[in-house]
Amino acid sequence: MINQKAGSVVFQNVRKTFGAFTAIPDLSLTIEPGTLVTLLGPSGCGKTTTLRMLAGLEHPTEGKILIGGKDVTMLPANERDVSMVFQSYALFPHMTSLENVAYGLESSGLSRKDARRRAEEGLALVGLAGMGQRLPAELSGGQQQRVAVARALVLEPQVLLLDEPLSNLDARLRRRVRTEIRELQQRLGFTAVYVTHDQDEALAVSDRIIVMKDGQIAQSGAPRELYEAPASSFIADFMGEANVIPCDVVGIDGAEAEIRIGGFRHRVPAGRAKPGAASLAVRPGAVSLSEGRGEGLAGRILHSAYLGDHVEYEVETEVGTLFIVDHAVDRILPAASDATLGFRSRGIALISA
Amino acid sequence: MRHGNRRLDVVLILGAVALTLLPWYRIENGFFGLGWLAGFPLSTEAAPGLVQIFAHGRLWLAGALVLLLLAVAVRGIADPMRRGAVLASTGALGVLFLSLQGLAVSFDGWTWAISQTLFGPLSDGQPSMGAGAVLSAVSFVLLFAFGLAERGVMKGDAFVVSAISLLVFLVAVFVFYPIGSMFVGSVQDFDGSFNADNFIRNMQDPSIWSLNCVIGAGRCGVAWRTLWLAIMTGLGSTLLGLAFALVATRTRFPFKKGLRLLTILPIITPPFVIGLALTLLFGRAGVVTQGLSDLFGIEPGRWLYGLSGIWIAQVLSFTPISFLVLIGVVEGVSPSMEEASTTLRADRWRTFWRVSLPLMKPGLANAFLIGFIESMADFGNPLVLGGSHGVLSTEIFFAVVGSQNDPSRAAVLAMVLLAFTLSAFLSQRVWLSGKNFATVTGKGDSGSHIALPRGLSIGVHAVVIPWILFTLVIYGMILIGGFVKTWGLDNSLTLDHYAKAFSISFDNGIAWTGVAWNSFWTTIEIALISAPLTAVVGLLTAYIIVRQKFAGKNAFEFALMMSFAIPGTVIGVSYIMAFNLPPLEMTGSALILIACFVFRNMPVGVRGGIAAMSQLDKSLDEASLTLRANSFRTIRKVILPLLRPAITAALVYSFVRAITSISAVIFLVSAEYNMATSYIVGLVENGEYGVAIAYSSMLIVVMITVIAGFQLLVGERRLRRENRVAGLATSASSRQEKIA
């Protein structure tokens, strides 16, 4: 059976430049053993570079990387105790799936027989027992993906790296495979670093999410923390959509803060807010919409679009145009009609900037 | 570190072996004859480096010993950065020292006056480098590479650093050192002192630069004639190539598959064969000439022997190459562009002139430059057809081997030729780079190419069909020519020529009695040795260029590709100038032929390898690395199996090129190692056309067999998927089949 030995990961003031371009100015982070941590961010944010430095495919310009407490900064990829699942899977097209899985074991010096035996166990682990003789081209996308995971796992690495492992799968399969990966990780207890640009994926699988922007950590924390208490408008917008509107914190009353949005007053969880000007992140679903003028924020419908189980609105208000998702599909407000906006208790967060 | 120690130990032992167990200097009767064992280790000739220092007064060799001992001494240093620094500088110093002492001390003492005044006269000189010296140089190169690897260069990958260092070292020795010696040789007197008189005299020679044909009576200089010929050949082959490409891709021409076969012809045809066949047709005793003279009383002329004849032969020879280049270009024009144009109310003419043709322009320029360079470098056709009105490449040859024996003139002519081809090459790189609109994207570009405008379609058919017939007749002549007794005089059929060339006697066992066998077996042997070497060097270089990033990579790639633009004649001249005297002496050996083939044909392997490797996703290598495999295992287990078609192409191509090339070879053959092509040229010079043609067609048949055999042997990779990594020859054709 495959025994994982979970290791921790530490980056100490890592800096990486490519010629004149600085990909990572100064990155420090710690990943606890046995957790699944996601590096999330838009393309070009440095998340893949971070992963590749961890794998040994790039070497940092400055700083230190520790895996399982051991300094591996200058170690080449093949001497590190990590393994990686590639975005393209990178299965060797001329080898069968069994040979693919056995490849790393043989490289580590196992005899051919032992390597095959362990590779078969690995394939069984991902539910592909008996498929060992197929070439990658004869497997479906999901099966290829599982071979890639098995190939990485059989090496029993201290850390498993996954580089956008689901991006080549269709939407339905994606949901199933991400559940499988998470389940496997929790069952075997290995440390995993998962790179993705899809926040749903990150929310679904992670113990902790590290959101990166321009080579720096924008915020890190548990999925719930990031979604419900974003530290910046960037996080708020990136972790699911959000309308960021200006507001004034009028007063703080214990855990709640009273805020003023235009001419409208509302109470929200205070967080770290201080009195004065602030921003409010409002999820599209956190706004209630009623016809005509009433108690609340006055608005005017610009567009509406019917999408089956919900209606999307763009509403013009005194604090800007808001994007609103309304689940009341039996009643659709026409464009150019007046509406009144209210705020629900969930899905609204004060952010400092 | 443990791993680093093991490889270091191996190299240190190699260095020690080089100094103690192998003869340091070149063995006159051949190292592999092992005759030197008798005098080993004490005789002056066979003594290893250590004995040479202490017993034979070659005290300067102690430098190599000291540096090696230094490397042994630092082996114990634990800090990899410091140890790496010392090892790298020791290696670099070692290589530098060995080259300097080799150049500075010749047979009878110092080569340079300045070293004489600095160090005082030497009592004794030294012969050329031998096995010991060469192995010693290689181990210094490896020490240098390991030192850099320990300092973390190339992510600490010793294999990659060593490969780069060795390649740079080899290219320096076999490409740049000869060219450099040629430059130096042109301003040297016979005794080696500086004397630019010959150089200046030759540089100003009116027979090179005269413009008489423009300003008055007489003929222009050879440089201008060569340039004119190259431009005309470039234009001719590009236009014909375009016509062929259009017919092959944009019309309903019934024999498209047959057209494809045309592209193989220049690969398997020895370069002078076309010229030879032309003389059989249009020479003074040629079939056509005689026929016209009999029918219409037209006086047989000598018009074929000169630029016009060479031009026809070259256009015949190089049109297939430009066809191959332009097929890709014509197909690369995205059909959606043309469809867009037609939906914008342009008719087919307007679409062709305003959209398709402009998109092909960079490709056309490229084809022109290839034709230009090929024409400049061509040696076989001008030799057969040029007579006394030669071009630069033949003039170089006659300056060396003829009665003139003026190496300085050969060097000057070679420089002029080199200047022409290198400027064409540079303009190709600088001017055309990044101007390729006709790229096939990975996305499915559906839609079909529109048909040619009617007038143009008729036009290209009118050009292509007669030209195909002409080519068929030419190749027919080659095949039949060997069976005809004496062309023009006695046209009866005979097997005499074949018998003379390839007879075998079974009287006392098998005896190869034919005159051709000797050169034939030598050719095959040398081609068989050099083909795998070429493939290894070429593909390794391709791997480094595509997969590794390092400072100076662009310069490295550029220098390699530039060596492709050096005409064979220039290589030939530079090799005999560089490798005739110490420190490296190889003329007259098989080694020089092999080296010449490897470094002349390597760029083709590099190009094929680059094309194939850039289609292999880089994540495959990275996956292999993260799966604990080092880069050597990655190459062996992942890259090589996936590159099989490219390997086959490189092997076949270098094998065939080694058989067909003539330009460089003709300078380097010796009585012992004569090659088929130079032997055939000798036959032509003696007027033995029948045997020459018979021998040529035999070579063509052999090469077709070899190519077909390789294709069958290697077969397909076992990937159930479309041939993603198509090799050199197959790439264009497989792409075509998809379109067709």
Side-chain angles (χ1 to χ4, degrees):
Chain A
M1 202 50 232
I2 289 172
N3 302 304
Q4 300 297 335
K5 36 184 197 308
S8 62
V9 171
V10 178
F11 275 57
Q12 285 176 0
N13 301 97
V14 169
R15 175 183 164 80
K16 175 68 183 171
T17 55
F18 295 102
F21 170 70
T22 304
I24 310 269
D26 181 6
L27 182 72
S28 295
L29 59 84
T30 306
I31 292 170
E32 300 298 325
T35 57
L36 193 158
V37 173
T38 307
L39 298 176
L40 178 68
S43 58
C45 70
K47 56 188 193 298
T48 299
T49 306
T50 307
L51 193 76
R52 289 169 61 84
M53 285 197 285
L54 195 48
L57 297 171
E58 305 284 353
H59 286 186
T61 316
E62 276 169 42
K64 263 189 180 183
I65 298 175
L66 287 85
I67 295 174
K70 190 179 151 220
D71 184 353
V72 298
T73 313
M74 291 314 280
L75 225 52
N78 56 328
E79 292 174 29
R80 292 193 185 190
D81 197 8
V82 298
S83 55
M84 180 152 165
V85 177
F86 286 78
Q87 183 172 8
S88 61
Y89 314 145
L91 295 178
F92 305 128
H94 58 302
M95 299 182 192
T96 62
S97 34
L98 189 69
E99 285 168 341
N100 262 291
V101 180
Y103 182 85
L105 296 165
E106 283 177 27
S107 303
S108 333
L110 249 69
S111 77
R112 219 177 153 71
K113 217 179 88 211
D114 290 348
R116 301 225 149 206
R117 190 175 46 74
R118 293 261 297 274
E120 268 160 18
E121 285 175 13
L123 282 175
L125 186 73
V126 296
L128 288 178
M131 303 279 241
Q133 292 316 309
R134 303 247 187 125
L135 287 172
E138 296 165 328
L139 296 172
S140 71
Q143 289 171 328
Q144 292 181 15
Q145 212 271 348
R146 286 193 247 168
V147 173
V149 170
R151 184 174 73 172
L153 275 183
V154 289
L155 294 177
E156 300 175 2
Q158 292 193 39
V159 184
L160 180 72
L161 311 176
L162 301 118
D163 184 11
E164 309 220 4
L166 308 183
S167 63
N168 280 337
L169 300 177
D170 64 51
R172 252 165 231 261
L173 206 52
R174 212 175 283 180
R175 188 165 305 157
R176 208 182 81 206
V177 174
R178 85 182 176 210
T179 319
E180 282 174 11
I181 290 179
R182 176 59 165 168
E183 199 233 45
L184 205 59
Q185 187 265 334
Q186 288 185 326
R187 184 148 56 92
L188 302 177
F190 52 84
T191 312
V193 182
Y194 191 113
V195 160
T196 181
H197 64 266
D198 179 341
Q199 84 279 356
D200 286 350
E201 212 172 296
L203 289 170
V205 298
S206 320
D207 289 311
R208 191 154 74 93
I209 299 177
I210 298 175
V211 185
M212 295 184 68
K213 189 193 177 195
D214 301 331
Q216 279 160 324
I217 296 179
Q219 190 179 357
S220 104
R224 218 189 162 100
E225 202 181 322
L226 257 69
Y227 191 81
E228 291 179 357
S232 64
S233 56
F234 167 74
I235 301 285
D237 197 39
F238 196 75
M239 300 299 300
E241 271 176 292
N243 299 290
V244 179
I245 54 179
C247 68
D248 280 319
V249 178
V250 183
I252 296 175
D253 175 12
E256 288 209 323
E258 184 171 5
I259 54 168
R260 198 175 60 222
I261 309 158
F264 173 67
R265 281 172 181 262
H266 191 66
R267 297 182 79 81
V268 292
R272 284 166 303 226
K274 290 187 222 41
S279 292
L280 190 67
V282 183
R283 301 286 172 201
V287 183
S288 65
L289 207 59
S290 49
E291 273 178 278
R293 287 268 173 259
E295 180 76 2
L297 191 62
R300 187 181 166 78
I301 309 285
L302 291 176
H303 289 292
S304 63
Y306 170 71
L307 280 124
D309 69 335
H310 67 270
V311 186
E312 289 181 0
Y313 291 101
E314 270 179 55
V315 184
E316 192 181 20
T317 70
E318 59 180 309
V319 289
T321 305
L322 299 188
F323 172 68
I324 293 166
V325 170
D326 191 16
H327 286 274
V329 290
D330 43 346
R331 164 218 66 172
I332 297 173
L333 303 180
S337 63
D338 285 332
T340 304
L341 284 67
F343 293 102
R344 302 184 204 280
S345 54
R346 295 196 157 275
I348 296 179
L350 266 179
I351 49 183
S352 37
Chain B
M1 208 61 234
R2 195 173 46 83
H3 202 66
N5 273 338
R6 208 178 63 196
R7 65 177 184 238
L8 183 60
D9 290 343
V10 171
V11 169
L12 289 175
I13 291 170
L14 278 186
V17 167
L19 271 171
T20 54
L21 293 180
L22 289 173
W24 186 261
Y25 292 117
R26 180 170 185 267
I27 304 294
E28 207 58 48
N29 298 324
F31 174 77
F32 295 104
L34 298 182
W36 51 274
L37 282 174
F40 191 80
L42 292 177
S43 76
T44 329
E45 293 78 35
L50 206 61
V51 180
Q52 296 283 11
I53 299 170
F54 296 112
H56 301 298
R58 269 121 188 184
L59 289 176
W60 60 91
L61 293 183
L65 181 65
V66 170
L67 286 168
L68 186 71
L69 289 177
L70 182 64
V72 174
V74 298
R75 185 190 172 285
I77 297 181
D79 177 18
M81 291 308 269
R82 265 180 55 207
R83 186 170 101 161
V86 180
L87 284 180
S89 36
T90 310
L93 277 176
V95 175
L96 196 69
F97 167 78
L98 282 181
S99 348
L100 269 182
Q101 64 87 21
L103 291 171
V105 184
S106 186
F107 276 127
D108 41 10
W110 293 109
T111 321
W112 302 319
I114 180 161
S115 37
Q116 176 112 1
T117 47
L118 271 178
F119 302 108
L122 277 177
S123 58
D124 192 13
Q126 62 180 351
S128 307
M129 293 187 181
V134 169
L135 187 63
S136 177
V138 169
S139 40
F140 278 124
V141 172
L142 288 176
L143 281 180
F144 170 74
F146 291 169
L148 287 187
E150 280 177 24
R151 290 181 59 85
V153 174
M154 305 302 300
K155 297 175 189 151
D157 196 325
F159 171 76
V160 174
V161 186
S162 315
I164 296 175
S165 312
L166 279 175
L167 280 174
V168 170
F169 178 68
L170 286 174
V171 170
V173 170
F174 287 105
V175 179
F176 291 100
Y177 168 61
I179 300 284
S181 335
M182 187 182 75
F183 278 87
V184 173
S186 68
V187 292
Q188 266 180 347
D189 243 344
F190 286 107
D191 59 357
S193 59
F194 177 80
N195 181 353
D197 294 352
N198 274 330
F199 178 78
I200 294 167
R201 179 175 50 77
N202 278 313
M203 223 25 174
Q204 295 167 338
D205 188 347
S207 76
I208 301 178
W209 296 111
S210 149
L211 275 171
N212 279 344
C213 57
V214 184
I215 50 172
R219 291 194 306 141
C220 276
V222 64
W224 300 122
R225 275 187 289 143
T226 311
L227 181 65
W228 171 242
L229 174 70
I231 291 173
M232 291 314 291
T233 302
L235 284 177
S237 57
T238 305
L239 286 178
L240 269 171
L242 179 63
F244 272 89
L246 288 175
V247 166
T249 58
R250 304 288 175 96
T251 64
R252 297 203 196 127
F253 190 67
F255 308 110
K256 286 184 184 173
K257 282 255 162 77
L259 273 188
R260 300 273 157 181
L261 284 179
L262 264 184
T263 56
I264 311 178
L265 291 180
I267 304 174
I268 59 167
T269 314
F272 44 82
V273 167
I274 302 278
L276 212 52
L278 280 178
T279 55
L280 298 186
L281 277 174
F282 303 113
R284 273 172 63 85
V287 187
V288 176
T289 316
Q290 293 286 331
L292 287 178
S293 149
D294 292 349
L295 287 175
F296 307 108
I298 297 172
E299 187 66 21
R302 297 191 53 85
W303 63 272
L304 185 68
Y305 303 97
L307 287 192
S308 43
I310 303 175
W311 181 73
I312 294 177
Q314 290 190 338
V315 172
L316 271 168
S317 307
F318 306 139
T319 294
I321 298 177
S322 114
F323 173 40
L324 192 64
V325 172
L326 289 173
I327 283 180
V329 174
V330 171
E331 279 177 351
V333 173
S334 160
S336 51
M337 302 271 178
E338 293 175 350
E339 284 174 344
S341 164
T342 48
T343 60
L344 294 168
R345 305 202 184 141
D347 61 10
R348 288 195 281 177
W349 260 112
R350 195 173 153 80
T351 302
F352 184 79
W353 284 110
R354 298 292 299 277
V355 176
S356 316
L357 202 60
L359 286 174
M360 295 174 200
K361 255 185 199 159
L364 289 172
N366 192 26
F368 170 77
L369 286 173
I370 291 173
F372 181 90
I373 293 177
E374 290 279 351
S375 159
M376 282 270 173
D378 186 20
F379 175 76
N381 288 316
L383 188 68
V384 174
L385 291 173
S388 53
H389 319 304
V391 292
L392 280 170
S393 57
T394 49
E395 289 290 304
I396 292 170
F397 177 64
F398 291 125
V400 174
V401 301
S403 52
Q404 309 177 26
N405 193 6
D406 185 350
S408 169
R409 177 176 165 82
V412 167
L413 288 169
M415 282 178 215
V416 174
L417 182 56
L418 195 58
F420 278 134
T421 54
L422 283 188
S423 12
F425 171 75
L426 285 179
S427 53
Q428 193 183 9
R429 293 285 293 212
V430 175
W431 175 50
L432 287 181
S433 68
K435 281 206 184 150
N436 194 3
F437 309 125
T439 44
V440 179
T441 58
K443 288 181 187 164
D445 205 356
S446 58
S448 55
H449 289 292
I450 59 164
L452 288 180
R454 192 172 167 73
L456 189 64
S457 174
I458 294 172
V460 291
H461 278 98
V463 171
V464 164
I465 293 170
W467 196 258
I468 293 173
L469 294 178
F470 188 35
T471 307
L472 289 178
V473 170
I474 292 278
Y475 277 86
M477 294 305 293
I478 297 167
L479 290 180
I480 302 164
F483 297 102
V484 174
K485 208 164 240 167
T486 313
W487 273 96
L489 296 175
D490 179 0
N491 286 345
S492 55
L493 295 179
T494 172
L495 280 173
D496 285 356
H497 302 313
Y498 281 91
K500 188 176 178 204
F502 296 106
S503 59
I504 302 171
S505 144
F506 294 99
D507 294 344
N508 318 304
I510 294 182
W512 308 95
T513 47
V515 291
W517 284 120
N518 189 12
S519 59
F520 181 79
W521 290 127
T522 309
T523 306
I524 299 287
E525 182 190 332
I526 290 193
L528 280 179
I529 296 173
S530 58
L533 289 175
T534 314
V536 168
V537 176
L539 292 173
L540 190 62
T541 312
Y543 168 76
I544 285 167
I545 289 177
V546 176
R547 287 297 203 254
Q548 307 290 341
K549 281 181 248 154
F550 54 96
K553 178 178 132 175
N554 284 339
F556 176 70
E557 187 186 355
F558 183 78
L560 273 177
M561 287 305 161
M562 197 176 73
S563 66
F564 199 47
I566 304 175
T569 358
V570 176
I571 293 268
V573 171
S574 63
Y575 268 41
I576 49 173
M577 287 179 126
F579 299 124
N580 208 15
L581 286 172
L584 290 168
E585 203 179 324
M586 301 198 301
T587 42
S589 67
L591 206 59
I592 197 169
L593 287 167
I594 293 168
C596 172
F597 286 139
V598 170
F599 290 95
R600 256 188 82 56
N601 297 337
M602 173 185 72
V604 181
V606 176
R607 279 187 192 181
I610 286 179
M613 222 171 285
S614 23
Q615 288 173 27
L616 281 186
D617 194 348
K618 194 172 195 280
S619 65
L620 289 177
D621 303 30
E622 290 177 346
S624 173
L625 285 179
T626 61
L627 293 168
R628 318 276 191 273
N630 56 24
S631 48
F632 182 66
R633 185 175 151 89
T634 304
I635 292 181
R636 196 165 57 91
K637 288 283 187 176
V638 178
I639 296 179
L640 284 187
L642 289 172
L643 282 186
R644 245 163 65 179
I647 296 169
T648 323
L651 275 176
V652 172
Y653 191 85
S654 44
F655 179 78
V656 167
R657 282 268 298 215
I659 291 181
T660 56
S661 75
I662 174 81
S663 50
V665 168
I666 202 160
F667 294 90
L668 304 177
V669 292
S670 51
E672 194 184 352
Y673 295 101
N674 201 357
M675 300 284 285
T677 45
S678 65
Y679 185 77
I680 295 175
V681 166
L683 289 173
V684 174
E685 282 176 341
N686 293 339
E688 295 187 57
Y689 288 97
V691 185
I693 288 274
Y695 199 167
S696 303
S697 30
M698 188 69 164
L699 282 184
I700 293 177
V701 170
V702 166
M703 283 180 286
I704 291 174
T705 321
V706 166
I707 291 176
F710 258 113
Q711 292 283 7
L712 284 178
L713 209 73
V714 177
E716 285 294 298
R717 286 169 307 160
R718 50 168 198 153
L719 314 180
R720 302 267 179 84
R721 111 157 51 154
E722 212 159 345
N723 222 348
R724 273 206 319 178
V725 195
L728 273 179
T730 52
S731 64
S733 57
S734 63
R735 217 181 325 139
Q736 171 58 16
E737 260 122 47
K738 255 183 284 166
I739 305 249

